[in-house]
Amino acid sequence: MVKKRFISPLAVTLLALLLLLLLTAMSLGPAGIPVSQIIHILSAGPQAGDSATTFSTAQHRIIWSLRLPRLLTALVAGIVLSVSGMVYQSLFRNPMADPYVLGISSGAAFGISLAAFLGIIGGATGIWQVPLVAFAGAAGTAFVILILSGGVRRSPTTLLLTGVALNFLLSALMTLFMYLNRAQLQSIMQWTLGSFSSASWAKLGILTVAAMIGIAPILFLTRELDILLLDESSAHALGVSVRTVRIILLGFTTFATAVTVAFCGTIGFVGLMVPHIMRLITGPQHRRLLPFSMIGGAIMMVGADTIARTALGSSELPVGVITAIAGAPLFIVLLVNTRRNSP
Amino acid sequence: MIMSRKRTLLLMLSMLLAISIWSPLTARGASEHSPTEQVVTVTDSRGITLSLRSYPQRIVSLSPNITETIFALGGSDRLVGITDYCDYPEATRDIPTVGDLLTPNVERIVALEPDLVIISNLGQLQTIEAIERTGIPVSFIDEPESMEGTYEIITKTGLLIGKAEEAQLLIESMQKTMADISGIASEPHPTVYYVAGFGEWGDFTATGDTFIHDIITRAGGDNIASDAVNWSFQLELLHAYDPDIIILPPLWGSTFEETLQQFVDHPSYAPLSAVQAGRIITIDNNIIERQGPRSAQAAMQLAEQFLMHAW
């Protein structure tokens, strides 16, 4: 984590809130298990079950192989998407940038659909291939965004419109694949909506490693991110190679985002909402904003997934629906503000 | 010249209109006298009454269960169009298809010049309207998702194609099968889970609002998803109920053995009691999904397999 002289009480409060949320979320679900049982089940460890008398094997299985990996996957995905949003916003100097809005997430989903359509990945594919094709799709999209939007010199709207256009194009192509191969309709649909229902310990492991690889460079580049928010000539004057920093940051966050999409589908607006809310609390300095965005992203995603899991009783909602309902209005507010401020 | 030509056209149109208004009445009057030209009058599931001056000779069926029913009633020689999904019986291969279930090709249907189109899917309502605008009679047959609903579908189809007696005989034989099943149904009822979809992107099952649920229940099974709706179910509920028997129809394009392998190898399902004890049974999902002549057979197949596992 970031070196800090003191631990902010606000950070402690947020961490406590996250812990409380995790415990509550673990007890909620169609097969409701009370919090008192949860403590017993958790302390029994992952292998126990048969010998215990305070809970059933089914309850143990539900917590250890279903709810726990799922909650932690949501937590890591929340961290990745919110940090990616924060980085994109600073890189492009655009308050509305986020992996979903810019089409990076769709790019990853497109990579997966294309590979599935071509038969590169399928039913018995190893757990590694999906993230790889997702990254290829996401990196391609990021590259196109970078070229088409002309870096950051153009207006914020140009960048957004480029993202919107790419989103349209990619989703049209994915729909085309669905029509050409009806058998994959269900799975491609799910990738476009986002869900944590397929979470497992193995995927969580890969996702966590990818998240650490994606976020680690940012820890060392918080000062450069601050400088990037100034104009490019000042950055040069301060000895920052804008191009190098931008490519490094974009590359690593796109990688983490792509792996998240590979395992959880496209989940929008978390990367947009969380950094904005956290900026109100911490100010724009990235050294402080980064850890807060991480905690905030975790809280938001675990909360959204819990709603998705429990709102409909025995069936569940796609989590992307919840985050879009919460995030899209904020996007509109930001858009109106930007239009008002720019000449 | 131009004016008079227009006027002639107008006159001809109004005459045509007058004839078309009168024709059903004259047809009805005529049928009372000649027994060969009977009138078909069937109220469909929309509440719209369809009257035909004679039994349809060129029928397009836009649903697999209707196609099966027409075959079972002996009316297949009059089927001129079916859908891509109408795959039973074998002879359906020789009938041209008009596209898939949700988006059949209206132009192809019209080109077949049918005198009756039978539809049974709400998703096709737009198609119905498009066909009706061309003047082709359409009957919409969609009944409650139960055995009673199935009998109603067979009755209505029989009435429409002039095979009412055959329909009655078919229903009676199905009812006899169903009565036999309630005789052998095991006590106590085993708890059962039907796998309509599994794995990566969620679990889907025959929830309490489906026809499959009705068949399972009548076959003597206690469906654990009876309170759920809309086919969707959560994995943790499956573990919480831990059913006695799992019904696993083969996945689309796979054999049962391949599907079974995939299911039991999946870490989410491996610990279930039914998987551990090998109490996984199967059935052709077309037989159990379609409300048609094979529905009683589906219930019988399940009932027998439930018995086999009830030691």
Side-chain angles (χ1 to χ4, degrees):
Chain A
M1 277 290 267
V2 180
K3 285 186 210 114
K4 270 185 278 185
R5 298 274 175 273
F6 59 92
I7 305 223
S8 122
L10 203 64
V12 174
T13 316
L14 282 178
L15 276 175
L17 190 69
L18 176 61
L19 210 67
L20 198 70
L21 179 64
L22 281 174
L23 211 61
T24 318
M26 223 179 297
S27 78
L28 292 174
I33 301 171
V35 180
S36 54
Q37 299 265 72
I38 304 273
I39 310 285
H40 283 299
I41 296 169
L42 285 182
S43 53
Q47 293 309 327
D50 297 339
S51 53
T53 48
T54 43
F55 52 84
S56 70
T57 25
Q59 285 180 327
H60 183 269
R61 218 186 293 147
I62 287 169
I63 293 297
W64 275 98
S65 36
L66 298 176
R67 288 189 194 168
L68 200 56
R70 179 173 181 151
L71 281 172
L72 295 178
T73 304
L75 181 136
V76 177
I79 291 175
V80 168
L81 293 180
S82 123
V83 169
S84 300
M86 179 200 82
V87 170
Y88 289 177
Q89 282 152 28
S90 302
L91 279 186
F92 293 109
R93 245 179 270 148
N94 189 320
M96 279 157 288
D98 135 275
Y100 185 72
V101 172
L102 291 185
I104 310 278
S105 299
S106 300
F110 171 77
I112 298 166
S113 328
L114 180 65
F117 178 68
L118 296 176
I120 298 169
I121 55 171
T125 320
I127 199 164
W128 293 98
Q129 278 99 317
V130 182
L132 281 178
V133 291
F135 179 53
T141 313
F143 186 70
V144 171
I145 287 271
L146 214 54
I147 303 278
L148 287 185
S149 64
V152 288
R153 281 182 296 278
R154 301 273 177 79
S155 76
T157 334
T158 312
L159 179 71
L160 291 180
L161 289 179
T162 312
V164 169
L166 276 175
N167 262 323
F168 279 143
L169 177 66
L170 293 169
S171 71
L173 288 172
M174 281 192 273
T175 312
L176 178 69
F177 295 155
M178 285 192 254
Y179 269 83
L180 292 177
N181 193 343
R182 290 291 175 108
Q184 289 163 352
L185 194 126
Q186 187 72 36
S187 60
I188 295 179
M189 270 280 279
Q190 291 281 5
W191 251 302
T192 61
L193 290 171
S195 165
F196 293 110
S197 63
S198 72
S200 70
W201 288 110
K203 289 181 190 170
L204 175 63
I206 296 175
L207 180 62
T208 309
V209 172
M212 290 198 288
I213 294 171
I215 293 172
I218 304 168
L219 299 176
F220 302 100
L221 291 170
T222 51
R223 193 186 74 94
E224 281 76 3
L225 270 172
D226 290 340
I227 295 169
L228 276 179
L229 277 179
L230 309 169
D231 61 294
E232 233 161 284
S233 51
S234 331
H236 280 299
L238 288 163
V240 172
S241 164
V242 176
R243 175 184 280 226
T244 317
V245 170
R246 185 177 293 145
I247 287 173
I248 290 174
L249 286 174
L250 195 61
F252 278 90
T253 47
T254 301
F255 170 70
T257 303
V259 179
T260 309
V261 173
F263 292 137
C264 318
T266 52
I267 303 165
F269 300 105
V270 173
L272 184 82
M273 276 185 285
V274 176
H276 275 283
I277 297 166
M278 290 303 148
R279 240 176 241 122
L280 296 178
I281 298 173
T282 67
Q285 269 210 340
H286 287 89
R287 198 175 61 87
R288 261 170 71 77
L289 183 57
L290 177 65
F292 275 90
S293 289
M294 290 169 75
I295 304 172
I299 292 177
M300 176 143 298
M301 200 64 107
V302 172
D305 181 51
T306 307
I307 295 173
R309 253 179 345 112
T310 53
L312 286 188
S314 59
S315 59
E316 69 172 88
L317 282 168
V319 69
V321 170
I322 311 280
T323 58
I325 290 171
L330 177 74
F331 180 78
I332 296 168
V333 170
L334 290 171
L335 191 66
V336 171
N337 282 346
T338 316
R339 300 290 292 179
R340 202 174 286 150
N341 295 341
S342 63
Chain B
M1 267 303 276
I2 295 165
M3 276 302 285
S4 75
R5 193 177 286 173
K6 251 189 185 170
R7 214 169 283 165
T8 321
L9 207 72
L10 214 69
L11 198 71
M12 281 173 70
L13 271 174
S14 49
M15 277 172 71
L16 266 172
L17 198 72
I19 291 166
S20 67
I21 289 170
W22 280 101
S23 60
L25 288 174
T26 50
R28 189 171 295 209
S31 76
E32 278 169 6
H33 300 291
S34 67
T36 45
E37 258 201 271
Q38 252 183 304
V39 177
V40 179
T41 309
V42 178
T43 305
D44 76 1
S45 308
R46 293 174 295 176
I48 293 176
T49 304
L50 188 67
S51 297
L52 303 172
R53 38 200 319 197
S54 60
Y55 287 120
Q57 298 302 314
R58 297 182 63 79
I59 306 166
V60 170
S61 157
L62 293 182
S63 187
N65 66 326
I66 299 292
T67 305
E68 286 193 24
T69 306
I70 293 175
F71 265 93
L73 299 181
S76 61
D77 53 328
R78 288 185 270 151
L79 265 178
V80 294
I82 53 175
T83 71
D84 294 344
Y85 292 89
C86 299
D87 55 1
Y88 187 89
E90 194 77 352
T92 47
R93 282 199 192 160
D94 306 327
I95 303 171
T97 88
V98 294
D100 64 20
L101 285 179
L102 286 179
T103 51
N105 191 321
V106 176
E107 282 188 21
R108 229 184 279 171
I109 294 170
V110 174
L112 288 169
E113 296 179 354
D115 49 11
L116 177 66
V117 175
I118 307 179
I119 289 188
S120 76
N121 190 319
L122 263 184
Q124 297 170 328
L125 274 178
Q126 274 185 310
T127 314
I128 300 181
E129 283 164 12
I131 298 169
E132 277 181 337
R133 272 200 298 273
T134 69
I136 297 169
V138 175
S139 192
F140 177 68
I141 303 183
D142 184 27
E143 296 296 325
E145 304 206 337
S146 64
M147 278 310 286
E148 281 69 32
T150 307
Y151 298 148
E152 192 59 34
I153 289 172
I154 295 171
T155 302
K156 283 190 174 160
T157 309
L159 282 174
L160 273 171
I161 66 170
K163 299 275 186 186
E165 265 175 51
E166 289 84 343
Q168 195 48 44
L169 284 175
L170 175 60
I171 291 168
E172 277 165 18
S173 87
M174 288 171 74
Q175 281 169 334
K176 190 185 167 300
T177 308
M178 296 310 289
D180 291 345
I181 291 169
S182 45
I184 62 163
S186 57
E187 282 289 345
H189 301 310
T191 52
V192 174
Y193 179 77
Y194 182 89
V195 183
F198 71 93
E200 286 306 280
W201 300 104
D203 290 275
F204 299 90
T205 189
T207 45
D209 52 347
T210 62
F211 178 57
I212 300 175
H213 164 77
D214 192 56
I215 293 276
I216 290 172
T217 312
R218 283 163 192 267
D222 177 8
N223 186 6
I224 63 165
S226 55
D227 291 335
V229 289
N230 286 333
W231 297 91
S232 98
F233 205 61
Q234 287 199 38
L235 186 54
E236 63 173 62
L237 277 179
L238 173 56
H239 282 273
Y241 284 113
D242 201 13
D244 298 327
I245 293 174
I246 288 173
I247 308 170
L248 181 71
L251 287 175
W252 196 82
S254 307
T255 63
F256 170 62
E257 284 68 30
E258 288 163 355
T259 310
L260 181 66
Q261 201 57 48
Q262 227 174 307
F263 189 79
V264 300
D265 284 350
H266 199 291
S268 298
Y269 310 105
L272 289 167
S273 305
V275 177
Q276 296 287 329
R279 287 194 302 266
I280 300 180
I281 63 174
T282 192
I283 189 163
D284 177 355
N285 44 339
N286 289 335
I287 300 181
I288 197 171
E289 274 168 14
R290 296 175 186 169
Q291 289 183 267
R294 294 191 287 169
S295 296
Q297 201 184 317
M300 181 55 100
Q301 283 186 20
L302 284 187
E304 285 169 354
Q305 296 191 82
F306 289 165
L307 262 187
M308 260 163 47
H309 285 287
W311 61 83

